[in-house]
Amino acid sequence: MSEHSEGGTTDTVVGDGGTTIGPASPPVPPPSDDSGLSRRTWTLVLSFLVVIGLGLAGGFARVPYVALGPGPTYDTLGQVDGANVVSIEGQDTFPTGGHLTMTTVSLIDELSLFGALGLWVSGRYALAPREEFFKPGVSKDEVRDQNTKAFQDSQTSAEVAALRYLGYPVKVLAAEITKGSAADAVLQPNDRLRVVNGKQITVADDVKAALETTKPGDEIEITYDREGKQQTSRVPLGRTDGRETGFLGVLAVDRADAPFEIKIGVPEVGGPSAGLLFALSIVDKLTPGELNGGQSIAGTGEINENGEVGPIGGIPFKMIAAKEGGATTFLVPADNCVEAKQQAPEGLRLVRVETLTGAVQSIEAIIAGKDAPGC
């Protein structure tokens, strides 16, 4: 039995007659092993090594994910590094005000485990499989080149769409020529196409239409301008898989036919999604008054040469960047409206956009205090 005194607990051993025969002896510790570390010490050492290993793995081992979050924003009516984002040379322009802001997505690659978790926990970033952005067998340089080309193409499409909207004529150029094709024998890139197989060429689709009644081996005439001089040549059409018509081998593109030059430049940005904002900036600079009424309007959207606005990726992050940059209105491609509406920051007005014309009309309605199509 045990007896407890006010000063503490005292263990005793009780005999047969209930006689206390003295304090119990303390337990005898097991003999120590002088030849090495104890089991407890080994456990502590191993635990310490595991923690160090996990720390090194979490801090340095790369995970197959990228982080996506809000990227930089650029006012297409303003400047970057002292240069205009959109400049027009050889033509008088009108004063602008407010902001027409293009938005971007930030992509962070080569993440460690701890780095990826930290970005995800912040709530500003989402993780996505790396292979969605860097395909197997495609180098980072190749991905960068693809994004750069898409950005350059968006500038060209924005220019054509804006000038078409403003009523400027269009010219058709030979953009790419298939090596060894019929066109390769007579045409060069940037030749202006005038007549193909007797059909006047006013838009790029006219070239395809001019070949609809031909077959491989037919000889046709092509009239084109090169360096201001008009020329006519005859070529025999070739054959290509999957086509019954004759094959000319030229990629024709529409380009604005205006007596001035438009330059667009934003460093370190790739992809096509700034096209809509570039087009709006061109329209604003070439028309009287402030298109945005001096307000801060942001948006996104790919645009083609006919002024049609297509969907883009990363819109939740772009809306966050726009809101943090002071925008009150955000232009949303129609096909992105469902996603945008679900994740729009509070206080940011969403405007549904399908075409450049529709975007201009919606902005004018907002400035006038009228309704505009929303998501």
Side-chain angles (χ1 to χ4, degrees):
M1 62 178 288
S2 295
E3 296 180 353
H4 299 276
S5 66
E6 293 179 358
T9 300
T10 302
D11 291 329
T12 61
V13 177
V14 180
D16 289 338
T19 305
T20 300
I21 60 176
S25 301
V28 179
S32 62
D33 183 2
D34 294 334
S35 61
L37 299 175
S38 69
R39 180 180 298 176
R40 182 178 180 183
T41 303
W42 272 116
T43 301
L44 290 173
V45 170
L46 290 175
S47 298
F48 179 75
L49 291 176
V50 169
V51 170
I52 293 296
L54 290 174
L56 290 173
F60 295 98
R62 296 291 178 257
V63 294
Y65 291 89
V66 296
L68 304 174
T73 60
Y74 302 93
D75 179 14
T76 59
L77 298 176
Q79 296 185 332
V80 175
D81 296 334
N84 290 332
V85 174
V86 176
S87 60
I88 301 176
E89 300 178 0
Q91 174 71 23
D92 291 336
T93 58
F94 296 91
T96 60
H99 304 281
L100 289 173
T101 302
M102 58 171 279
T103 51
T104 67
V105 173
S106 172
L107 185 151
I108 303 176
D109 189 23
E110 297 185 354
L111 293 170
S112 67
L113 176 60
F114 290 163
L117 289 175
L119 291 172
W120 179 73
V121 169
S122 73
R124 289 178 59 82
Y125 289 83
L127 301 181
R130 188 178 187 276
E131 63 183 12
E132 291 185 8
F133 300 88
F134 300 93
K135 302 298 182 184
V138 180
S139 69
K140 276 191 172 183
D141 287 341
E142 290 173 322
V143 172
R144 187 181 300 110
D145 290 344
Q146 291 170 2
N147 286 334
T148 299
K149 185 179 186 304
F151 186 67
Q152 293 170 343
D153 289 345
S154 76
Q155 298 173 20
T156 301
S157 296
E159 176 183 340
V160 176
L163 294 185
R164 266 184 165 170
Y165 169 82
L166 294 172
Y168 286 87
V170 170
K171 58 185 176 182
V172 181
L173 302 183
E176 298 178 13
I177 298 170
T178 303
K179 187 175 181 180
S181 66
D184 191 31
V186 296
L187 294 177
Q188 295 180 8
N190 293 320
D191 283 350
R192 179 173 183 174
L193 302 177
R194 293 287 191 178
V195 182
V196 174
N197 194 30
K199 181 175 180 60
Q200 295 288 331
I201 305 301
T202 57
V203 294
D205 288 343
D206 289 341
V207 176
K208 181 179 179 180
L211 301 174
E212 286 181 349
T213 60
T214 66
K215 59 183 182 298
D218 286 352
E219 191 174 79
I220 66 169
E221 278 192 353
I222 304 174
T223 300
Y224 53 95
D225 293 349
R226 180 180 300 161
E227 297 179 352
K229 181 180 179 182
Q230 192 168 109
Q231 305 178 47
T232 298
S233 300
R234 295 188 65 83
V235 294
L237 296 175
R239 182 186 304 275
T240 188
D241 294 340
R243 288 188 186 178
E244 296 181 358
T245 58
F247 180 62
L248 180 57
V250 59
L251 173 63
V253 295
D254 293 327
R255 294 292 181 263
D257 190 10
F260 51 84
E261 184 178 5
I262 298 175
K263 294 182 179 179
I264 301 174
V266 181
E268 303 299 324
V269 176
S273 63
L276 172 62
L277 272 297
F278 289 148
L280 288 171
S281 178
I282 294 170
V283 171
D284 197 3
K285 287 174 177 280
L286 291 174
T287 53
E290 297 174 353
L291 175 61
N292 54 25
Q295 296 186 18
S296 180
I297 295 176
T300 186
E302 185 174 357
I303 197 168
N304 65 20
E305 294 166 350
N306 295 319
E308 298 166 336
V309 178
I312 50 77
I315 198 163
F317 311 112
K318 293 181 177 182
M319 292 190 297
I320 292 173
K323 176 66 175 178
E324 293 178 348
T328 55
T329 299
F330 193 88
L331 306 177
V332 182
D335 289 342
N336 287 121
C337 260
V338 173
E339 180 185 14
K341 187 176 181 179
Q342 293 173 346
Q343 304 185 57
E346 185 177 353
L348 187 66
R349 179 177 185 174
L350 304 185
V351 175
R352 183 174 183 268
V353 175
E354 296 185 62
T355 64
L356 174 59
T357 299
V360 172
Q361 291 173 345
S362 291
I363 293 173
E364 291 175 341
I366 291 170
I367 302 308
K370 300 178 180 179
D371 291 333
C375 286

